[in-house]
């Protein structure tokens, strides 16, 4: 499902955050939203998900304006995993995943869609564990299971790698690649860690101060010059063994 934004502007508390955003995210690909803190990445994801209504412009899913879709229909088409999702500490992981069946009228912890979501997110072994007793990586997987239980075509992720150690990030990276391949998802991911995101991204959109700096496939759009404009630092790039464009670990030198 192709996602198109046409001249979208969005405000929060009376302040315009996104300014005339026009971009097309390709279907069945993993797209990266890159930018510094306060650049507008999270606001853009929430606007795409219909959680925030734009002041101007349109967001279209496969040519359909999302403003014309009822809330439950939107939830069938789009799932979002926010930076700091909330769930009661005593809630069981399977109960959390079952919340993803709300757009379809609800579902039990034993529903086949819930079981599949727990399995696909790699957290089925903790189905009966309380959310408050999970590690950071397990907690992220539990909320991912809730999103997967919605069985949406579009998955939005807001800095899914934040607060995870290197091993958990690598595991999450592999999980996202597998889910994208097996479920044929369209994924749009805001990420603070460029190296993490470039390991999976097929399309990159750089955002600064609520405006698009550049967008396109990594090989053409992600250059040292564009990243300097976006982030204000010098960043060295290289290709890994799979031919993926990556960022050297010591990136972040001030120019």
């Amino acid at each position: 499902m192709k996602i198109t934004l046409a001249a979208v502007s969005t405000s929060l508390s009376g302040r315009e955050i996104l300014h005339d955003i026009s971009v097309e995210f390709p279907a069945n690909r993993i797209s990266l939203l890159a930018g510094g803190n306060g650049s507008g990445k999270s606001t853009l994801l929430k606007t795409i998900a219909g959680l925030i209504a734009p002041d101007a412009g349109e967001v279209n899913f496969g040519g359909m304006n999302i403003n014309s879709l009822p809330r439950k229909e939107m939830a069938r088409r789009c799932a979002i995993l926010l930076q700091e999702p909330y769930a009661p500490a005593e809630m069981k992981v399977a109960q959390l995943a079952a919340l993803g069946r709300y757009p379809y009228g609800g579902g039990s912890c034993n529903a086949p869609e819930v079981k599949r979501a727990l399995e696909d997110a790699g957290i089925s072994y903790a189905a009966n564990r309380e959310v408050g007793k999970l590690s950071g990586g397990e907690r992220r997987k539990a909320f991912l299971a809730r999103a997967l239980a919605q069985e949406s075509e579009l998955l939005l992720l807001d800095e899914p790698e934040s607060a995870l150690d290197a091993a958990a990030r690598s595991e999450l990276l592999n999980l996202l690649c597998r889910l994208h391949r097996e479920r044929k998802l369209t994924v749009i991911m805001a990420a603070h860690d460029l190296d993490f995101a470039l390991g999976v991204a097929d399309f990159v959109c750089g955002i600064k101060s609520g405006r698009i700096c550049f967008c396109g496939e990594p090989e053409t759009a992600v250059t040292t010059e564009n990243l300097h404009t976006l982030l204000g630092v010098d960043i060295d790039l290289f290709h890994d063994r799979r031919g993926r464009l990556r960022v050297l670990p010591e990136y972040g030198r001030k120019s």
Side-chain angles (χ1 to χ4, degrees):
M1 179 172 57
K2 181 171 64 178
I3 313 302
T4 305
L5 283 76
V8 169
S9 295
T10 301
S11 297
L12 291 175
S13 302
R15 183 169 70 92
E16 190 172 60
I17 306 298
L18 302 179
H19 313 280
D20 196 32
I21 297 287
S22 293
V23 61
E24 184 177 287
F25 295 102
N28 306 123
R29 296 290 183 270
I30 298 178
S31 295
L32 163 65
L33 295 178
N37 292 331
S39 60
K41 302 188 301 295
S42 295
T43 301
L44 181 53
L45 286 179
K46 290 176 183 177
T47 301
I48 294 172
L51 300 179
I52 302 174
D55 303 318
E58 291 186 357
V59 180
N60 289 280
F61 289 3
M64 181 178 294
N65 188 336
I66 67 167
N67 291 329
S68 67
L69 297 176
R71 185 67 249 170
K72 283 190 176 182
E73 178 62 23
M74 267 294 295
R76 293 188 189 107
R77 292 171 175 264
C78 172
I80 184 169
L81 178 54
L82 299 173
Q83 282 188 47
E84 298 181 0
Y86 170 77
E90 66 276 11
M91 177 176 278
K92 300 293 181 64
V93 170
Q95 293 174 321
L96 175 60
L99 293 178
R101 299 307 297 165
Y102 162 77
Y104 306 92
S108 74
C109 297
N110 294 316
E113 298 86 357
V114 173
K115 289 185 175 182
R116 181 192 178 200
L118 290 168
E119 186 68 31
D120 284 355
I123 196 67
S124 59
Y125 66 88
N128 293 316
R129 195 181 300 176
E130 294 180 354
V131 173
K133 296 180 180 179
L134 301 176
S135 68
E138 289 173 330
R139 180 180 172 85
R140 199 60 53 89
K141 289 179 182 178
F143 280 99
L144 178 59
R146 183 184 68 178
L148 293 176
Q150 289 179 228
E151 298 197 320
S152 306
E153 299 174 71
L154 173 63
L155 177 61
L156 307 177
L157 303 171
D158 195 356
E159 298 194 9
E161 83 289 4
S162 64
L164 299 182
D165 60 28
R169 289 186 185 199
S170 178
E171 185 179 7
L172 179 60
L173 189 77
N174 293 330
L175 176 60
L176 289 176
C177 287
R178 179 174 61 80
L179 290 174
H180 164 253
R181 181 179 65 252
E182 293 178 356
R183 289 202 174 211
K184 296 179 172 55
L185 295 172
T186 297
V187 179
I188 303 176
M189 172 175 62
H192 190 69
D193 187 327
L194 271 179
D195 188 60
F196 166 87
L198 285 174
V200 295
D202 303 303
F203 181 86
V204 181
C205 180
I207 302 176
K208 183 176 183 178
S209 300
R211 301 181 189 277
I212 292 179
C213 280
F214 61 85
C215 60
E217 295 181 356
E219 288 295 330
T220 55
V222 180
T223 65
T224 54
E225 293 80 9
N226 280 344
L227 292 178
H228 185 277
T229 299
L230 183 69
L231 301 172
V233 294
D234 291 325
I235 296 176
D236 293 322
L237 302 168
F238 74 103
H239 289 86
D240 64 17
R241 288 177 296 177
R242 298 178 301 150
R244 284 275 187 176
L245 192 66
R246 303 296 291 271
V247 172
L248 287 176
E250 63 270 22
Y251 85 85
R253 306 187 309 275
K254 288 288 184 181
S255 59

